[in-house]
């Protein structure tokens, strides 16, 4: 005897659960309620309508209720908001969004997939003005685009430097708008670390977007926004992308328990505290694979897996709940940026001792067309060498490298394993030693105490304190741009100039991308110099790291020339 | 007290060993002998000089002996062939290639990295003609290009459909030549399986190369080649790429043991049967990570790792010898093809029971520009579900997917792990369920007996035997091209047409890419139809699989229209 399943929410998690239930039991009665007018739309593609990369917003809607009925035999009702769960009667109350009429529908099993709603901070004066938009569904992006087009708006402000804000920023800029991005923290894209995102700050700046960090919006009017700093920015339309909060009101009202992170509490099977009620997607609390701590994660992949797991459990099928690692990727103009696992801040918060390898090799053989530097950062546990996280920024295939790290993390692999990992190679696609292998070599060397490094964030103070910095590049390279005060002792000459290198004080060595300096540091260390440090990332990374703050604060640069021509 | 190290061979393995020795012990005396005129050249880039992607052949040489001396303090002697190992005296005899003079050089530790030499079958009449070239070093490719340019040759034959042959074929075709590729087997690129390479056969054909399979060359003259079939092909120049054989003569003559595969036998530390003599690279025998059998592998990545391991062992450092899985990738015109681990033939040879999931999703969200089908094939052990191999062909990021499989294999992961793997997603880079996740879902469904499939290779005989084949696509799609004799019962209609589906005989269902047919097969199976099969890969894969043989044999196609417009 098949049961009756009611699903609240018709996007990623909800629709996946419904479809899976039907695949397991074609006789099941499955009802899906969605309060908006569309189901099964491509949430992640919304920003790409703004520059007409996706020309019609209709294309964002992948399935209609009619098609879902015909193909999958699913009953989907749109513009139907579930306003109440009547747990005792095992029914839900549904409101017709257009007419306001309500009715009850019984369930044997209820699935909550209400998603998360965009935060609209009441502290911002004018946050509800007609020129302020969030981007959560097709209607939102449609209204935003229409408002900009109809009112011929040239100046748009995007508030929030997370994934949605950044993607809207790119699309709007590519649509020819004057875009300002305002972010309250000292960096965009907080899943990644402060050092590696500096390249993205530069890219955003270079593409003509005004990027404002460390500032927040206090007031929005028809044609400008005012920031906490007092700064005023022209903006005819405002995209609000300051984060989301799980849609828990229905669950709270029904007395279901909410977790410590604010998401709906679920067990291993994605059941809420009422075993007849499951919850999946952006509204729930999940477990971090590495730290074992509770967290929230608004990503489509995990939502789909949760949906499948929940449906499976309804039919007595067992399932492995792995927890999440948080893998993501974004395209920001000409750069790609990807990350997985823990970043430095997350390690610190979890009290995990860690170290970092940061390499900048080419993403394919240097002789090949479009070979570009790839910034790759590997975070690993000290003293175990367990891989904790990976981050990569570059014009090329960063997602490949980070996906490999994701696979290594979920297999609880070690930097020793990564060092030996045999990956595909041909000159079009990579290098014989892939950047991930290279990072693992650096990491094992560091962990084994083969040599010592200093981090990018330490270089400025080294320069300012007059530390001994050696530039291991050739004289010609040095002349074209170098760290102020650095002494040029090329790798090709240092054995004849050993007397210039002091043994009684720290010496910091760099080259262009730390390969030549690594050789020099190794050899000096082996020759008995005990205070020699390699500067992580070397000149290329230092240039990227310093640039954006230099130009926005007007501080004195520590390099004579950034050499971005080499990027 | 530092030792004296002599290295035979100055490309990948040899030079990496030498550099690593110097990094560990800067006081070591390291001598590298190379019989050719260049060391440290980019072996893998040689074919790209033929279409002037790499304009000057000088660019292929990455390091000169002078630079190696200055930067790494290495003593490198080119045009110096080691002709004899005098094990009793611990010395080698070196011949100056230009003058013929010989002299002896002592060693404490000897490293053999002689590589592999291109096979020149004596069975081919004219194989040593001046218009026949192999592509093993810079001199080779230089001579080939010069010969073609100087003699204004328009017609070139490439013999052998392995990596080097294929890359030369692409470059020569892109340089505007009439190219014929002759391969003795029924497929190119034998690390991949017969079914998935059919796409590449089609691509090669579409790009105007004459691809001849199942035939061998018997004679070469100044302007043509004659094949075993009697066919004659115009060819002013011939590239011979029929494989390589390890350079073992030096080792054999010195009484070092050769392994069963014909490579130099080495132990865990890459020591030969003489513990003072190490061997690395293409000349040695390695161990397969999965089958534990001895094998040979001529890839740059493993050679570099062997070099590092050998050098480490010389200094008492322990090292993990993982064995090899054989990951590789190639670009063939507009298509990329990558593979790792065991293919079907290797499983059969090793007596491993296996099954295959073959999926053809889009490589990024379908709404995005340049979203293309990606053919992805996952091979896993039955009944354990252990991942054995992965292969992928498509216009997009195939290497990413195969690298993930490589990582999973080396972590001895299962299809259940792959199903749960959390990878980076955004519409530019993939889909929420990545092709590798999708393949794992198919694999687990198959392994768990959720539904049954037939392989691509079985479809033709099903058609010819008049089996019941259902096309689950919409009528419009069916009309634009379908399998001959297939009955069109769209997924959107089949519940109303169940009486047309027999229960007493096998029924084979397909759609465009097996997604809709999967739904139908699942539902029919759940409704009690016990003889329903999903056709692996569906119409897209069938078209690709049949096409090249159809056009070259003139046999009757089993489809009314291939629909390559959808590829």
């Amino acid at each position: 005897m098949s049961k009756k399943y009611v699903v609240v929410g018709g996007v990623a998690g909800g629709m996946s659960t419904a479809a899976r239930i039907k695949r397991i039991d074609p006789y099941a009665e499955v009802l899906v309620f969605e309060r908006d007018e569309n189901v099964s739309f491509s949430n992640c593609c919304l920003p790409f309508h703004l520059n007409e990369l996706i020309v019609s917003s209709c294309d964002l809607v992948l399935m209609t209720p009619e098609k879902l009925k015909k193909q999958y035999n699913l009953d989907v009702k749109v513009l139907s908001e579930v306003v109440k769960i009547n747990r005792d009667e095992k029914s839900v109350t549904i409101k017709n969004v257009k007419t306001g009429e309500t009715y009850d529908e019984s369930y044997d099993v209820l699935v909550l997939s209400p998603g998360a709603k965009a935060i609209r901070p009441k502290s911002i004066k004018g946050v509800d003005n007609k020129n302020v938009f969030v981007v959560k569904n097709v209607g939102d992006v449609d209204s935003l685009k229409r408002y900009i087009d109809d009112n011929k708006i040239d100046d748009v402000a995007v508030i929030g430097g997370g994934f949605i804000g950044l993607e809207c920023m790119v699309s709007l800029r590519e649509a020819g708008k004057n875009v300002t991005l305002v972010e309250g923290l000292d960096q965009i894209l907080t899943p990644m670390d402060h050092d590696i995102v500096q390249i993205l700050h530069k890219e955003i700046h270079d593409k003509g977007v005004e990027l404002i960090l460390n500032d927040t919006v206090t007031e929005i009017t028809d044609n400008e926004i005012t920031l906490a700093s007092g700064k005023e920015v022209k903006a005819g339309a405002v995209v609000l992308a300051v984060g989301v909060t799980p849609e828990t009101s229905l669950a709270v009202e029904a007395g279901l328990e909410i977790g410590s992170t604010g998401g709906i509490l679920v067990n291993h099977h994605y059941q809420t505290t009422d075993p007849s009620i499951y919850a999946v997607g952006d509204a729930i609390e999940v477990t971090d694979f590495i730290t074992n701590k509770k967290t929230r994660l608004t990503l489509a992949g995990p939502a789909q897996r949760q949906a499948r797991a929940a449906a499976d459990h309804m039919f007595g099928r067992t399932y492995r709940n792995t927890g999440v690692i948080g893998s993501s990727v974004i395209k920001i103009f000409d750069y790609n940026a990807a990350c997985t696992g823990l970043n430095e801040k997350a390690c610190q918060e979890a009290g995990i001792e860690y170290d970092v390898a940061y390499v900048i090799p080419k993403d394919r053989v240097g002789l090949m067309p479009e070979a570009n530097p790839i910034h790759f950062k590997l975070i690993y546990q000290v003293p175990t060498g367990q891989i904790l996280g990976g981050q990569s920024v570059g014009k090329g295939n960063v997602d490949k490298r980070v996906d490999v790290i994701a696979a290594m993390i979920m297999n609880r692999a070690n930097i020793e394993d990564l060092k030996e990992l045999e990956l595909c190679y041909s000159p079009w696609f990579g290098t014989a030693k892939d950047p991930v292998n290279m990072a693992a070599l650096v990491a094992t060397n560091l962990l084994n105490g083969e040599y010592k490094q200093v981090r990018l964030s330490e270089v400025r103070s080294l320069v300012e304190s007059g530390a001994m910095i050696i530039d291991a590049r050739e004289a010609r390279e040095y002349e074209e741009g170098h760290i102020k005060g650095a002494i040029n002792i090329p790798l090709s000459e240092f054995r004849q100039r050993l007397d210039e290198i002091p043994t009684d004080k720290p010496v910091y060595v760099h080259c262009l991308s730390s390969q030549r300096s690594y050789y020099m540091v190794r050899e000096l260390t082996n020759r008995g110099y005990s205070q020699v440090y390699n500067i992580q990332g070397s000149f290329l990374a230092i240039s990227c790291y310093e640039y954006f703050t230099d130009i926005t604060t007007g501080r004195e640069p520590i390099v004579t020339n950034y050499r971005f021509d080499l990027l």
Side-chain angles (χ1 to χ4, degrees), chain A:
Chain A
M1 177 55 195
S2 289
K3 291 181 180 169
K4 181 173 174 186
Y5 301 83
V6 168
V7 178
V8 182
V11 197
M15 205 50 80
S16 296
T17 313
R20 177 74 180 160
I21 292 169
K22 272 294 197 185
R23 280 207 299 285
I24 299 175
D25 180 5
Y27 305 106
E29 186 184 352
V30 181
L31 279 169
V32 181
F33 295 100
E34 169 59 47
R35 68 175 167 196
D36 283 319
E37 62 188 318
N38 299 302
V39 287
S40 287
F41 63 87
S42 178
N43 220 314
C44 308
C45 283
L46 296 176
F48 309 123
H49 176 49
L50 296 175
N51 58 346
E52 296 185 7
L53 192 71
I54 294 170
V55 180
S56 164
S57 65
C58 302
D59 291 338
L60 293 163
V61 181
L62 308 173
M63 284 296 235
T64 58
E66 295 68 37
K67 214 170 163 189
L68 288 162
K69 178 65 189 172
K70 282 181 79 173
Q71 294 216 352
Y72 306 121
N73 202 14
L74 288 170
D75 292 297
V76 178
K77 306 217 183 304
V78 294
L79 297 169
S80 299
E81 182 175 5
V82 174
V83 291
K84 191 162 186 284
I85 303 169
N86 315 298
R87 284 171 60 190
D88 292 341
E89 298 92 57
K90 289 189 105 172
S91 77
V92 289
T93 304
I94 297 121
K95 184 175 86 177
N96 181 318
V97 173
K98 284 207 161 149
T99 65
E101 284 172 281
T102 63
Y103 64 102
D104 284 3
E105 188 76 52
S106 70
Y107 65 79
D108 293 312
V109 177
L110 180 66
V111 180
L112 302 180
S113 180
K117 62 169 177 277
I119 297 170
R120 279 183 177 268
K122 293 296 159 204
S123 57
I124 302 176
K125 202 173 155 191
V127 75
D128 292 320
N129 289 0
K130 66 175 195 313
N131 65 334
V132 182
F133 300 86
V134 298
V135 177
K136 277 297 289 177
N137 60 35
V138 180
D140 291 340
V141 76
D142 225 14
S143 309
L144 167 61
K145 184 164 189 323
R146 219 177 289 262
Y147 186 86
I148 290 174
D149 292 350
D150 292 352
N151 297 285
K152 299 191 173 40
I153 287 177
D154 289 324
D155 305 291
V156 185
V158 177
I159 317 303
F163 289 101
I164 295 171
L166 290 166
E167 286 180 336
C168 288
M169 169 199 77
V170 172
S171 285
L172 289 164
R173 183 66 194 145
E174 288 182 352
K177 304 300 166 193
N178 301 320
V179 183
T180 303
L181 187 108
V182 182
E183 165 58 51
L185 301 174
D186 63 351
Q187 68 165 92
I188 59 162
L189 214 56
T190 49
M192 300 187 73
D193 285 320
H194 183 257
D195 52 2
I196 203 166
V197 298
Q198 299 306 322
I199 309 158
L200 301 172
H201 289 170
K202 174 181 181 304
E203 173 69 358
I204 292 167
H205 172 82
D206 288 352
K207 289 292 187 288
V209 170
E210 188 177 7
L211 174 59
I212 300 172
L213 300 176
N214 294 308
D215 213 343
T216 51
V217 182
T218 53
E219 183 173 358
I220 301 171
T221 67
D222 274 2
N223 47 31
E224 70 175 20
I225 58 172
T226 308
L227 308 183
S229 62
K231 192 177 164 78
E232 289 171 354
V233 178
K234 242 174 109 177
V238 176
V239 179
L240 207 57
V242 294
V244 296
T245 182
E247 286 272 16
T248 54
S249 51
L250 209 54
V252 168
E253 208 248 358
L256 301 175
E257 204 171 317
I258 301 300
S260 57
T261 66
I264 301 172
L265 187 75
V266 292
N267 66 10
H268 173 83
H269 314 297
Y270 300 100
Q271 285 168 302
T272 65
T273 39
D274 178 337
S276 303
I277 306 178
Y278 290 77
V280 298
D282 294 356
I284 69 166
E285 181 171 273
V286 290
T287 305
D288 186 285
F289 178 88
I290 305 172
T291 64
N292 303 318
K293 297 215 170 84
K294 295 295 183 183
T295 184
R296 283 190 292 120
L297 190 70
T298 54
L299 293 173
Q304 288 192 353
R305 272 188 289 278
Q306 292 155 14
R308 190 181 168 93
D312 278 3
H313 182 257
M314 294 169 199
F315 295 91
R317 292 164 174 242
T318 56
Y319 202 87
R320 194 186 329 173
N321 184 330
T322 56
V324 298
I325 56 173
S327 305
S328 54
V329 58
I330 184 171
K331 183 176 185 307
I332 299 182
F333 297 114
D334 298 342
Y335 277 81
N336 304 319
C339 63
T340 188
L342 302 186
N343 61 16
E344 293 195 56
K345 196 187 285 175
C347 290
Q348 289 156 12
E349 281 169 5
I352 298 173
E353 196 183 340
Y354 70 92
D355 203 352
V356 172
Y358 189 128
V359 295
I360 320 179
K362 289 277 171 75
D363 56 8
R364 57 175 65 166
V365 169
L367 294 171
M368 303 301 284
E370 289 174 61
N372 288 302
I374 181 170
H375 291 248
F376 182 79
K377 183 170 173 174
L378 178 68
I379 301 175
Y380 56 94
Q381 194 179 17
V382 174
T384 66
Q386 193 185 328
I387 300 167
L388 299 172
Q391 299 173 36
S392 188
V393 175
K395 291 178 180 165
N397 201 339
V398 303
D399 44 325
K400 170 164 84 166
R401 277 71 188 209
V402 172
D403 273 358
V404 167
I405 301 302
M408 297 304 273
I409 290 175
M410 292 195 81
N411 282 288
R412 305 205 187 271
N414 196 279
I415 52 175
E416 290 282 351
D417 303 309
L418 185 61
K419 181 159 77 84
E420 298 307 316
L421 194 58
E422 190 189 327
L423 300 168
C424 297
Y425 159 61
S426 111
W428 277 113
F429 300 89
T431 46
K433 236 185 240 117
D434 191 83
V436 299
N437 298 133
M438 220 172 281
L441 286 166
V442 170
T444 49
N445 279 333
L446 289 169
L447 194 59
N448 291 329
E450 306 272 3
Y451 74 96
K452 295 187 287 254
Q453 71 177 2
V454 291
R455 302 290 308 274
L456 282 175
S457 53
E458 301 172 72
V459 179
R460 175 168 282 270
S461 66
L462 290 177
V463 173
E464 288 169 354
S465 65
M468 166 98 182
I469 297 177
I470 293 177
D471 187 331
R473 299 175 299 163
E474 296 299 309
R476 182 188 41 76
E477 297 174 86
Y478 177 85
E479 281 152 23
E480 286 167 359
H482 59 263
I483 295 180
K484 291 174 183 168
I487 296 161
N488 185 215
I489 305 181
L491 176 63
S492 59
E493 293 175 14
F494 87 104
R495 290 175 199 90
Q496 288 77 49
R497 295 171 61 182
L498 287 173
D499 55 343
E500 295 177 46
I501 303 169
T503 52
D504 59 344
K505 66 172 188 176
V507 174
Y508 304 92
V509 190
H510 74 89
C511 57
L512 184 68
S513 67
S514 284
Q515 208 167 2
R516 284 171 284 176
S517 59
Y518 163 64
Y519 269 91
M520 194 188 291
V521 166
R522 276 300 289 259
E523 185 158 339
L524 287 172
T525 306
N526 283 332
R527 284 177 184 270
Y529 292 71
S530 62
Q531 297 185 72
V532 185
Y533 295 81
N534 200 4
I535 298 179
Q536 193 185 65
S538 276
F539 196 78
L540 267 187
I542 295 165
S543 282
C544 295
Y545 183 74
E546 293 287 318
Y547 179 73
F548 183 75
T549 314
D550 287 356
I551 54 154
T552 46
T553 64
R555 70 180 178 187
E556 173 82 13
I558 60 168
V559 296
T560 62
N561 178 7
Y562 298 101
R563 298 303 315 278
F564 291 133
D565 53 317
L566 299 171
L567 272 189

